[in-house]
């Protein structure tokens, strides 16, 4: 994450995509969400690694809770 933050100013916008979304969710869906993320990573890797290889890129995906739960 720190490296990505540094690259924001160094890499032209045409060569990068940095985005995020915050959402209220049903926590019971987390196992399926993690599976979908894993499937997406594999699919994107297969797509991008086919053909001529001329650049090295990194994809970062984070699914983390931002809710602070109170102890009862």
């Amino acid at each position: 994450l720190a490296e990505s933050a540094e690259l924001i100013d160094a890499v032209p916008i045409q060569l990068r995509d940095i985005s995020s979304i915050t959402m209220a969710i049903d926590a019971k869906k987390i196992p399926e969400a993690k599976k979908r993320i894993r499937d997406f990573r594999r699919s994107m890797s297969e797509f991008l690694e086919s053909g001529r290889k001329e650049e090295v890129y990194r994809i970062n995906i984070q699914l983390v809770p931002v809710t602070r739960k109170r102890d009862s």
Side-chain angles (χ1 to χ4, degrees), residues 8-57:
I8 287 175
D9 293 328
V11 177
I13 195 164
Q14 305 92 317
L15 300 177
R16 61 181 164 83
D17 183 90
I18 299 173
S19 58
S20 70
I21 183 169
T22 303
M23 59 198 134
I25 67 160
D26 177 351
K28 292 181 206 131
K29 294 182 178 180
I30 293 297
E32 175 66 19
K34 290 173 68 174
K35 179 189 177 303
R36 290 181 184 210
I37 290 169
R38 186 174 55 251
D39 292 346
F40 165 76
R41 284 193 327 256
R42 289 178 180 156
S43 173
M44 186 60 70
S45 176
E46 287 177 15
F47 169 70
L48 290 173
E49 290 184 312
S50 65
R52 202 173 89 195
K53 287 132 183 105
E54 54 192 20
E55 298 282 346
V56 176
Y57 273 67

